[in-house]
């Protein structure tokens, strides 16, 4: 009996020992996994910290739960103010779930940014991710410390005004608000350039915005600097150095100032932020500078707007491929009074055409007059351009005047009879200190 009992005890001891070995092995494996995860996090943090040290901000990845307007600004801050003594603007790429698009955008951004080493100090690069889509954060962080990653954690529910409305437009407006709060209210950047994740940049993108920042600083009648021309299709543009003033907010790659955000933030909309920016009551007679030839190209056929306008208009946009020396360009013609006088002279001297079909028969400057939205839409359709208005303002227009270039002609689409009155009003007002008001 004692021998059997000893055998049982030995077997039990052996089983216990084996279990102990297994437990130890499992624990060791888990410890290795934890060490590997810790090392990976340390590497990510080191990259971000290196970037952050240069910027003077925290390397913590920013996460912020935001609904409509309920979250105080200080809750959104993920770092101290940036040392922006030599910074022209922060550049923020807005991303959600389009991994392939984002990779293309990053490639273009870094290539263009890397053309001048001084851009490292002048333009700080960020990717702001909305939500937790797999792969987006990993891609963004893989480019640290060149690009700083921040993350907006979306609220689960966004109440829409109508049940049929896409919730995407509410989420986008919330994300934009988060970015503005972080960049302006928290980090106190003087200016921000906003890009979407489906954009390719022109070779002179950064010199263009460096010049544009100076225009914003000295002209309070300006609303923004944009990289985009809604009528920038290849057959309608010619001059890579030509810029225009416009009452229409273009979006799609644009710069705004901290002071503008301070005037907008208390009324920031819960949805359709870009159309809200186009309202006369918001714009208050201020205008944007836009190029004749676009400084961004939008390749995003898939997105929240379901490819609206893409096949017919956006894919035919010409991206500038000329390295313009913007520091040597004379842009004084963009001053409000000078520009108004220039457009007035063009309208007076332009040959009047009675049909859009006559445009290609003449050189020089020609004009087509329209009386109201219906006539404008017909002319726009005949010329193959976007025909929509926003709060009474045609796309890319200046006091209702839309400028196109086709073959050897400069074509002006102009409203009657208010155009002369509107431009004369601008010339008179330009001689006085600017005071924002309705058009």
């Amino acid at each position: 009996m004692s021998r059997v009992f000893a055998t049982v005890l030995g077997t039990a001891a052996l089983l216990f020992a084996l279990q102990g070995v297994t437990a130890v092995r499992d624990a060791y494996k888990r410890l290795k996994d934890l060490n590997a995860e810790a090392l990976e996090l340390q590497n990510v943090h080191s990259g971000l910290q290196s970037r952050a040290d240069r910027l003077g901000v925290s390397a913590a990845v920013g996460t912020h739960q935001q609904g409509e307007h309920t979250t105080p600004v200080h809750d959104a801050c993920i770092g101290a103010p940036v040392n922006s003594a030599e910074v022209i603007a922060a550049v923020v790429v807005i991303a959600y779930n389009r991994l392939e698009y984002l990779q293309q955008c990053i490639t273009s951004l870094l290539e263009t940014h890397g053309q001048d080493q001084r851009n490292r100090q002048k333009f700080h690069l960020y990717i702001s991710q909305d939500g937790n889509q797999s792969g987006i954060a990993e891609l963004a962080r893989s480019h640290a410390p060149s690009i700083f990653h921040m993350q907006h954690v979306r609220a689960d529910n966004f109440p829409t005004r109508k049940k049929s409305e896409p919730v995407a437009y509410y989420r986008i407006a919330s994300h934009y608000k988060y970015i503005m709060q972080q960049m302006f209210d928290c980090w106190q950047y003087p200016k921000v350039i906003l890009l979407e994740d489906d954009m390719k940049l022109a070779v002179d993108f950064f010199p263009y915005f460096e010049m544009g920042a100076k225009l914003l600083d000295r002209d309070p009648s300006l609303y923004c600097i944009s990289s985009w021309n809604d009528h920038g299709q290849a057959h309608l543009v010619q001059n890579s150095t030509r810029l225009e003033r416009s009452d229409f907010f273009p979006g799609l790659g644009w710069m705004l100032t901290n002071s503008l955000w301070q005037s907008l933030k208390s009324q920031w909309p819960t949805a359709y932020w870009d159309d809200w920016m186009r309202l006369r009551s918001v714009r208050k007679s201020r205008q944007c500078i836009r190029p004749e030839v676009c400084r961004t190209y939008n390749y995003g056929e898939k997105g929240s707007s379901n490819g609206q306008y893409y096949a017919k208009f956006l894919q035919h946009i010409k991206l500038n491929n000329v390295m313009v020396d913007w520091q040597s360009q004379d842009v004084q013609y963009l001053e409000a009074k000078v520009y108004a006088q220039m457009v007035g002279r063009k309208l007076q001297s332009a040959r009047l055409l009675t049909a859009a079909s006559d445009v290609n028969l003449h050189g020089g400057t020609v004009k087509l007059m329209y009386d109201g939205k219906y006539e404008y839409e017909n002319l726009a359709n005949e010329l193959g351009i976007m025909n929509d208005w926003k709060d009474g303002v045609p796309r890319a227009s200046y006091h209702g005047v839309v400028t196109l270039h086709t073959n050897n002609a400069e074509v002006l689409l102009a409203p009657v009879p208010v155009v002369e009155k509107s431009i004369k009003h601008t010339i008179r007002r330009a001689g006085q200190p600017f005071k924002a008001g309705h058009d």
Side-chain angles (χ1 to χ4, degrees):
M1 177 67 70
S2 60
R3 183 179 298 175
V4 173
F5 182 70
T7 301
V8 171
L9 286 178
T11 303
L14 179 60
L15 290 174
F16 181 78
L18 289 174
Q19 290 175 352
V21 170
T22 301
V24 170
R25 185 172 61 241
D26 291 343
Y28 179 73
K29 183 177 183 300
R30 178 57 181 156
L31 182 61
K32 287 181 63 179
D33 292 341
L34 289 173
N35 285 338
E37 291 174 9
L39 181 59
E40 182 180 358
L41 288 173
Q42 183 179 2
N43 289 337
V44 171
H45 184 271
S46 297
L48 292 175
Q49 187 64 60
S50 174
R51 166 67 171 163
D53 288 343
R54 183 158 52 84
L55 299 183
V57 302
S58 168
V61 176
T63 58
H64 171 54
Q65 188 86 13
Q66 180 176 338
E68 294 187 48
H69 300 288
T70 58
T71 304
V73 170
H74 63 267
D75 288 344
C77 292
I78 56 174
V82 173
N83 179 10
S84 58
E86 298 180 22
V87 177
I88 294 173
V91 181
V92 184
V93 177
I94 301 162
Y96 172 42
N97 65 351
R98 301 185 295 184
L99 186 63
E100 183 178 348
Y101 284 175
L102 179 60
Q103 179 62 76
Q104 295 179 56
C105 181
I106 291 173
T107 299
S108 176
L109 176 65
L110 292 178
E111 180 180 345
T112 309
H113 190 258
Q115 291 174 346
D116 187 341
Q117 291 299 314
R118 294 172 295 180
N119 285 338
R120 286 185 174 184
Q121 182 59 38
K122 293 178 180 179
F123 298 97
H124 296 169
L125 306 183
Y126 294 83
I127 293 173
S128 183
Q129 177 187 357
D130 190 23
N132 297 297
Q133 181 70 26
S134 175
I136 299 296
E138 291 79 4
L139 175 60
R141 292 169 186 169
S142 71
H143 291 282
S146 298
I147 300 177
F148 186 83
H149 172 253
M150 49 196 278
Q151 191 168 3
H152 173 240
V153 180
R154 300 173 299 155
D156 292 334
N157 296 310
F158 281 84
T160 60
R161 290 189 289 265
K162 300 177 182 178
K163 290 184 178 180
S164 59
E165 280 187 297
V167 72
Y169 293 109
Y170 289 80
R171 290 171 172 166
I172 292 170
S174 175
H175 190 192
Y176 268 81
K177 182 181 181 182
Y178 164 71
I179 292 169
M180 303 291 197
Q181 288 176 333
Q182 188 62 53
M183 292 293 150
F184 288 132
D185 297 331
C186 298
W187 289 347
Q188 299 177 18
Y189 275 106
K191 300 176 185 69
V192 170
I193 301 171
L194 292 158
L195 297 170
E196 296 173 18
D197 60 357
D198 56 356
M199 291 182 175
K200 182 178 181 180
L201 310 188
V203 292
D204 63 341
F205 177 89
F206 288 103
Y208 169 75
F209 275 103
E210 183 172 356
M211 175 275 301
K214 296 176 182 177
L215 293 179
L216 282 179
D217 287 339
R218 67 173 182 247
D219 189 346
S221 70
L222 289 180
Y223 199 38
C224 77
I225 305 295
S226 177
S227 65
W228 186 257
N229 175 12
D230 279 303
H231 307 312
Q233 290 77 21
H235 66 287
L236 296 176
V237 297
Q238 295 177 348
N239 190 344
S240 292
T241 66
R242 182 70 187 174
L243 307 177
E244 307 285 355
R245 292 180 73 107
S246 176
D247 300 300
F248 190 89
F249 170 71
L252 291 176
W254 58 288
M255 174 193 282
L256 78 161
T257 64
N258 194 318
S259 60
L260 177 61
W261 166 246
Q262 300 308 320
S263 71
L264 299 177
K265 66 181 183 181
S266 63
Q267 293 88 35
W268 190 256
T270 56
Y272 309 104
W273 69 272
D274 48 351
D275 283 343
W276 178 81
M277 290 280 292
R278 292 167 181 142
L279 295 177
R280 292 174 184 265
S281 59
V282 176
R283 185 171 54 83
K284 297 181 179 180
S285 298
R286 293 168 292 194
Q287 296 168 333
C288 290
I289 300 296
R290 65 161 181 86
E292 178 178 321
V293 184
C294 289
R295 263 55 191 187
T296 51
Y297 177 80
N298 187 298
Y299 50 81
E301 186 174 4
K302 298 177 182 178
S304 58
S305 61
N306 295 317
Q308 185 184 24
Y309 302 130
Y310 184 82
K312 189 173 182 179
F313 300 111
L314 300 188
Q315 70 174 348
H316 303 296
I317 290 288
K318 178 180 179 180
L319 179 66
N320 177 60
N321 58 5
V322 178
M323 178 55 84
V324 176
D325 180 7
W326 284 108
Q327 302 311 310
S328 66
Q329 289 291 313
D330 183 2
V331 293
Q332 292 183 1
Y333 67 92
L334 293 170
E335 295 177 6
K337 183 176 180 179
V338 175
Y339 188 84
Q341 291 172 334
M342 180 186 68
V343 174
R345 289 193 298 269
K346 285 184 177 181
L347 286 168
Q348 289 180 350
S349 63
R351 179 197 295 264
L352 177 62
L353 303 181
T354 57
S357 57
D358 293 338
V359 165
N360 293 323
L361 302 178
H362 302 277
T365 302
V366 299
K367 61 186 175 184
L368 291 161
M369 310 299 286
Y370 65 89
D371 187 4
K373 185 177 181 180
Y374 178 76
E375 287 190 6
Y376 177 81
E377 288 176 346
N378 287 337
L379 283 176
N381 291 339
E382 290 185 61
L383 292 169
I385 63 175
M386 285 188 276
N387 65 7
D388 57 323
W389 295 27
K390 301 293 182 182
D391 200 18
V393 180
R395 285 183 182 270
S397 66
Y398 169 79
H399 290 292
V401 180
V402 175
T403 303
L404 311 171
H405 293 88
T406 175
N407 294 333
N408 296 319
E410 180 181 37
V411 183
L412 307 177
L413 308 185
V416 292
V418 298
V419 61
E420 291 184 5
K421 177 181 177 182
S422 181
I423 291 177
K424 287 179 180 177
H425 171 70
T426 297
I427 294 174
R428 288 197 302 270
R429 191 178 64 187
Q432 305 173 357
F434 176 78
K435 184 178 180 180
H438 293 283
D439 291 321

